[in-house]
Every structure is written in C-alpha cells, then in structure tokens.
C-alpha cells in the first residue's frame, strides 16, 4: 500500500482536494513509497484563511500561553526524535545519526523560542522630556509563510516556525515535496502540545503552491531556504508583492588550510564536512584550498580517510553515508566527476561507479576527490551538492583569499591554522556570513543567527537568533505624556516639537 501524505490545515489533515499527487521515493531502493498531495491555489487559500482566522486570537495571546505550548512541544519533539529521524531517513536517505543531528539542531531553535519573553521585552526610556516616556515594542506581522528545501526536512522548518509563532504570528509551511512526512508529524506534535487550530498549517506541492503564497495578499512575510536561482526568484517576486522576505540560497563553502595547520585535524574535518550527508548540506565543505607546500600531504590524508567511508542505506547502523535524493540528481553529480579531467583536474577518487548489493536501484554514488582543480572548472564553480570534494592549490594566503572572495557564494567558510593572527585576519577579510576557525561547518547555535552573504542570501535578515525575532516582528514606538494636574496648559504651538 502506498502511503499518502496530505496537507495540514486548521489543525487537521486536509485531503488533497485538487486530486494532484506527486511521488515520494525511498532513495535507498529507488521505489516510490508515498504519494504527496500537491496543493492548488484554492487549497493554499484555505490554509492562509485558516492562519488568518487563528491570528485573531493567537496574535493577542499572552507570552505565558505561547511559551507553555512551546515547552510542551519541546518535550514531545524530544520524545519523538527517533521517529522523526526515521521518517527523514526513509525519504531523504541520510543515515539515522545524521537525521537525529538535524532534529537536535532544530530543537535548539525551539529552546530559543521557549525563551521568547526575554527577546520581546522591549525598551523603555523614562523622562525623555518632562513627564514624557518612550517605549519601543515589537508586534507580530500576521500570517507568515515558510518554503523549505529537501535536505533538512525537519531542521529548516524549525529554523522558522518556532520563532514565528512565539512572536505571535501564524504560519503556513510549504515543505519540500521530496520528503514531506516529517513536517506532518511535527504538525501533529504541535497540535498535541496544545497549539490552537490554524496557527501552524502545512501545504505540500510545487511552484503552484509557492507562487500562490508569494502573491497572496494576506501573507505578510516569506522565509525561504533552497537553491540560489529559486531564492533569487522568491526574493524578487515576494518583495514586488510588498512582503518582507528572507531567502537563503545555495553555497560553495571553502576551507583554507595554511601550512602550519594540524594536517590530521584538517583532513578529518575536510572529510567529515565534505562527505557527511553525502554532501547534501548547504554548509558542506566542497572546496579545500591548500596553501603552500602541504598540498600533497593533505590530499593523501584526505584520500586515506575518504576511502574508508561506509556507504549504504541510511537505516543500516553500519552506514556512514547514504544515497542521493533522486536518480536525476545522482546523475548530475556524476557528470561533474566525469567531466573533471577534461577541465584540468586530477581525479584522485572517482565514486561514480558505486552501487550497493541488493539495492541496485538506489541513488548511489561513492566518494569523489578532485585535486588541482582550476577555478575555471564547472566542478569548482557550481554547487554540486554531492560527495565531491575539490582541492585547489595556491602559493600564498592572499591567493587563497582571492579565490574564496571571488566565489559568487558566501555562505560558510573555514580556516585551519595554528596562527591566531592569520585566523583573525581571515575572519576580518573573508566575504562570507559564517566563518569557522578550525571548525569546518560553523553553523551558528540557535541564539546567534544563520545566514550567508552574496548569492547565498537575499534579504536583510539572517535566520533565527535575534535576526529571526526581528524578521517576524515589526517595531512600534510609543511616546507618552501624562501631564501633572498642576501644569499650566501647553497651548497651541505650531513649531516643530522639541524635547525639553
Ligand atoms: P530548491 O530550490 O529546488 O527547492 C526549495 C523549495 O522551493 C522547495 O520547497 C521547492 O518545492 C520549491 N521550488 C523549487 N522550484 C521552484 C520554482 N521554480 N518556483 C517556486 N518554488 C520552487 O532546493 P532543494 O533542491 O530542495 O534544496 C537544496 C538547495 O537548498 C541547495 O542549493 C542548498 O544549498 C540549499 N540550502 C541552503 C541552505 C542555506 O541555509 N543557505 C540550507 C539548506 C539548503
């Protein structure tokens, strides 16, 4: 029996009334296991209407009421980590420990949202003029939408909705159609935690659903995470429709290794960050820039480690890396490796022929390592989003920095060195939103915001942390005077008001 995943509107399952369904595949077997409803314009409208109706009371609810529900949700999420991770593995393919890791990082944002009262406490200045006080407060926007990618079906929605609803907004999520089940389980847990109907809604689907959210007059803000071309489109379209937008895009994350670095630590970090989750992470390291004479040693250390990675179904505890999301994506990743030698790279490891016995129809690809990759190569320039690591060589730090800063992407980056001065120089000079010093995947903790520069983010706000609270609220400044009965009447004064 094929499983069916429907929308979640107004606190309950909503069958796909349009009758359009898309297939969901288990990447480890290549089999279609699930049908997911694809929303029509009318179904998106129904979700937005439910969210708008719920906002009337949720937007007025007390911080205590909101946070007690979030605390209950946090406990439920904690208790159901394994179950959600299993749903992720079955549709995304990543190994169970990796799926558990993404749930844990999502939980960090729920933790932050549980403490929203502190972030929303506003500012008060007393006696700015005689008997005049000024308060700055932040209020919710109304209905806000989130559109999320396949590679983190639980974590990325949790980068958005916990803070959005904690701030008093109501939410419509459009998750990736490739792995939709985790979002529905999360919706059920929110309901179990006591979230009122309509505060959190899920519509599945494709461009039809997304475009309706981008143009709907009742959607006040859009958070997007996905590839750069779609992020650019979302930002342009939603902004033109008068919405607040944050659109996080793709990446090509560089790791600089200076000659004084601990090369074993650098090789461990490069392999973990390049091949973890089969490279399908926006913070994956996909380019190592080896500075000076260490190149040969570093490449050899990376090769030794990478060759040992165990590839297999994500549900097998022995697997360290699973399959890619679709067959088409697998073939595209393989094409970069196949073309690399003609582009001037040395192919050290070629994973394109890899398969897993008994799972021949899975979307398998092995580990690929390309050395001396020229910056002109497609394998270097494009976001491959697979287990392919490019190594580039330079003589100096300055050349290496030019390479990093020459990339159109600016998500994360890292430097490996024992020299504090060099690390500090890099952190000041590099054009990227998140920098690691001897940390290969510098994903900020929940109370710092996450976001890239250049083509890795369109909009003014990074996601979660203080930027998240700011994004999901708007400011209001209230200036108050309570005159003393003994004051003489102020009288009419057409002059520009001054404080005294
Ligand atoms: P994607 O851009 O293909 O899809 C993202 C979302 O947009 C999905 O919900 C999808 O249904 C929707 N979408 C796709 N095409 C659309 C179109 N033409 N019009 C409207 N909506 C459309 O991304 P993906 O393949 O699901 O995810 C991988 C990408 O996401 C990678 O590029 C990765 O770097 C990026 N990503 C970035 C971050 C970050 O924080 N910067 C985090 C995770 C993933």
């Amino acid at each position: 029996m094929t499983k069916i995943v429907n929308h979640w509107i107004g606190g309950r399952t909503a069958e796909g009334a349009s009758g359009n369904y898309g297939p969901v595949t288990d990447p480890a077997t290549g089999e279609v296991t699930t049908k997911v409803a694809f929303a029509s314009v009318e179904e998106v409208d129904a979700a937005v209407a439910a969210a708008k109706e719920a906002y009337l009371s949720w937007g007025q609810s007390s911080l205590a009421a909101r946070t007690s529900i979030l605390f209950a949700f946090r406990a439920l999420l904690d208790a159901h980590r394994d179950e959600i991770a299993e749903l992720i593995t079955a549709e995304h393919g990543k190994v169970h420990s990796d799926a558990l890791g993404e749930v844990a990082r999502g939980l960090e944002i729920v933790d932050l949202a549980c403490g929203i009262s502190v972030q929303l406490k506003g500012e008060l200045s007393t006696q700015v003029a005689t008997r005049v006080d000024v308060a700055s407060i932040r209020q919710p926007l109304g209905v806000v939408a989130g559109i999320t990618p396949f590679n983190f079906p639980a974590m990325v929605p949790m980068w958005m909705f916990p803070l959005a609803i904690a701030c008093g907004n109501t939410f419509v999520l459009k998750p990736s159609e490739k792995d939709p089940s985790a979002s529905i389980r999360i919706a059920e847990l929110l309901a179990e935690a006591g979230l009122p109907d309509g505060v959190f809604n899920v519509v599945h689907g494709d461009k039809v659903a997304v475009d309706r959210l981008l143009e709907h007059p009742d959607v006040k803000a859009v958070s997007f995470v996905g590839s750069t071309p779609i992020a650019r489109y979302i930002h342009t379209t939603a902004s033109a429709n008068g919405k607040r937008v944050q659109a996080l895009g793709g990446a090509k994350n560089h790791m600089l290794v200076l000659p004084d670095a601990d090369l074993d630590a650098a090789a461990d970090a490069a392999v973990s960050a390049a091949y973890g989750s089969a490279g399908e992470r926006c913070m994956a390291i996909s380019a190592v820039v080896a500075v000076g004479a260490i190149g040969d040693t570093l490449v050899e250390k990376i090769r030794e480690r990478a060759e040992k990675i165990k590839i297999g179904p994500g549900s097998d505890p022995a697997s360290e890396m699973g399959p890619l999301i679709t067959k088409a994506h697998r073939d595209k990743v393989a094409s970069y490796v196949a073309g690399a030698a003609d582009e001037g790279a040395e192919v050290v490891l070629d994973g394109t022929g890899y398969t897993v016995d008994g799972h021949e129809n899975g979307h398998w690809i092995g580990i690929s390592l390309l050395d001396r990759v020229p910056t002109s190569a497609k394998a270097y320039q494009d976001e491959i989003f697979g287990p392919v690591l490019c190594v580039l060589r330079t003589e100096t730090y300055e050349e290496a920095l030019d390479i990093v800063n020459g990339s159109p992407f600016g998500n994360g980056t890292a430097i490996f060195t024992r020299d504090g001065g060099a690390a500090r120089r890099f952190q000041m000079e590099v054009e990227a939103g998140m920098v690691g010093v001897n940390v290969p995947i510098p994903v900020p903790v929940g109370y710092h915001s996450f976001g890239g520069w250049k083509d890795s983010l369109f909009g003014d706000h990074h996601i979660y942390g203080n930027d998240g609270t700011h994004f999901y609220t708007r400011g209001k400044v209230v200036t108050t005077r309570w005159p003393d009965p003994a004051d003489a009447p102020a009288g009419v004064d057409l002059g520009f008001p001054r404080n005294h």
Side-chain angles (χ1 to χ4, degrees):
M1 279 279 286
T2 308
K3 175 178 148 188
I4 294 179
V5 175
N6 283 305
H7 313 300
W8 182 270
I9 299 175
R12 58 193 60 82
T13 299
E15 281 184 23
S18 68
N20 290 335
Y21 287 86
V24 179
T25 306
D26 177 348
T29 62
E31 281 167 22
V32 174
T33 56
T34 303
K35 284 196 324 183
V36 59
F38 273 29
S40 61
V41 166
E42 291 72 26
E43 287 169 309
V44 174
D45 286 356
V48 175
K52 189 180 179 188
E53 171 72 21
Y55 178 67
L56 296 176
S57 51
W58 184 251
Q60 301 294 320
S61 61
S62 69
L63 286 169
R66 286 182 227 156
T67 50
S68 70
I69 291 168
L70 284 160
F71 272 111
F73 172 62
R74 192 210 179 279
L76 287 167
L77 193 61
D78 187 29
H80 291 84
R81 285 173 197 244
D82 264 313
E83 183 194 347
I84 292 173
E86 279 164 18
L87 291 173
I88 294 169
T89 296
E91 295 178 353
H92 175 286
K94 65 177 73 174
V95 299
H96 187 69
S97 57
D98 195 23
L100 275 176
E102 93 158 82
V103 177
R105 293 310 293 258
L107 222 138
E108 277 186 15
I109 316 303
V110 183
D111 290 345
L112 183 72
C114 287
I116 196 69
S117 329
V118 177
Q119 290 195 59
L120 287 186
K121 69 182 164 33
E123 295 173 334
L124 174 69
S125 300
T126 55
Q127 197 70 352
V128 299
T130 307
R131 278 187 277 285
V132 175
D133 301 333
V134 177
S136 289
I137 60 175
R138 298 204 67 87
Q139 295 190 306
L141 306 176
V143 180
V144 300
I147 301 157
T148 54
F150 81 82
N151 67 322
F152 288 113
M155 180 184 78
V156 170
M158 285 194 273
W159 283 359
M160 302 172 180
F161 76 78
L163 279 179
I165 64 177
C167 290
N169 303 284
T170 55
F171 201 88
V172 179
L173 173 67
K174 206 303 280 175
S176 171
E177 66 281 20
K178 298 190 176 91
D179 42 18
S181 291
S183 64
I184 293 298
R185 192 67 191 108
I186 285 170
E188 290 167 352
L189 295 180
L190 283 165
E192 200 178 327
L195 192 72
D197 294 349
V199 175
F200 180 76
N201 308 275
V202 183
V203 285
H204 300 288
D206 58 3
K207 185 170 167 54
V208 173
V210 171
D211 283 350
R212 182 59 185 152
L213 288 170
L214 300 184
E215 69 187 22
H216 199 298
D218 290 333
V219 173
K220 301 301 177 199
V222 176
S223 299
F224 172 87
V225 176
S227 61
T228 288
I230 310 299
R232 189 182 273 116
Y233 166 75
I234 300 281
H235 184 252
T236 308
T237 310
S239 301
N241 290 330
K243 302 184 195 318
R244 187 177 285 192
V245 196
Q246 53 180 182
L248 283 71
K252 191 88 184 179
N253 304 308
H254 295 71
M255 171 172 154
L256 249 72
V257 183
L258 296 190
D260 70 336
D262 175 339
L263 294 188
D264 286 309
D268 285 341
V271 171
S272 308
Y275 303 116
S277 205
E280 290 176 323
R281 288 181 183 146
C282 62
M283 289 292 271
I285 289 294
S286 42
V288 164
V289 188
V291 180
I294 54 156
D296 288 348
T297 314
L298 181 64
V299 168
E300 182 52 22
K301 286 178 182 292
I302 291 174
R303 190 188 63 73
E304 279 168 11
R305 288 161 170 77
E307 275 180 336
K308 293 182 189 147
I309 293 172
K310 297 185 193 72
I311 304 167
S315 55
D316 180 347
S319 304
E320 295 171 293
M321 189 183 112
L324 291 180
I325 184 73
T326 60
K327 171 81 167 56
H329 184 54
R330 183 249 162 247
D331 292 347
K332 187 171 176 212
V333 172
S335 74
Y336 284 104
V337 181
D342 286 346
E343 292 185 306
E346 284 175 21
V347 181
V348 180
L349 294 173
D350 178 347
T352 54
Y354 193 88
T355 189
V356 173
D357 289 345
H359 289 74
E360 284 75 10
N361 293 327
H363 313 148
W364 304 109
I365 192 161
I367 299 292
S368 294
L369 175 61
L370 310 176
D371 191 13
R372 299 183 188 278
V373 183
T375 52
S376 57
K378 294 280 285 171
Y380 168 71
Q381 290 179 349
D382 292 0
E383 180 186 40
I384 297 179
F385 223 53
V388 181
L389 177 62
C390 296
V391 179
L392 295 85
R393 310 276 192 115
T394 67
E395 293 297 318
T396 64
Y397 162 84
E398 286 78 10
E399 286 171 66
L401 183 73
D402 281 350
I403 288 176
V404 183
N405 287 350
S407 169
F409 300 106
N411 213 38
T413 188
I415 188 165
F416 276 68
T417 179
R418 291 184 168 102
D419 180 339
R424 186 173 187 283
R425 187 176 162 193
F426 181 70
Q427 86 186 38
M428 301 306 281
E429 293 178 342
V430 74
E431 293 175 12
M434 294 166 282
V435 183
V437 176
N438 299 317
V439 174
I441 304 189
V443 174
V445 288
Y447 36 96
H448 287 259
S449 301
F450 178 113
W453 286 14
K454 302 196 278 188
D455 286 358
S456 295
L457 189 148
F458 303 93
D460 298 324
H461 292 86
H462 289 198
I463 207 161
Y464 66 75
N466 287 345
D467 267 24
T469 308
H470 225 263
F471 182 78
Y472 291 124
T473 54
R474 53 188 164 171
K476 186 178 272 180
V477 183
V478 183
T479 302
T480 308
R481 180 200 293 130
W482 291 107
D484 189 285
D487 287 349
V492 173
D493 179 358
L494 298 192
F496 194 77
R498 284 183 297 157
N499 293 321
H500 49 77

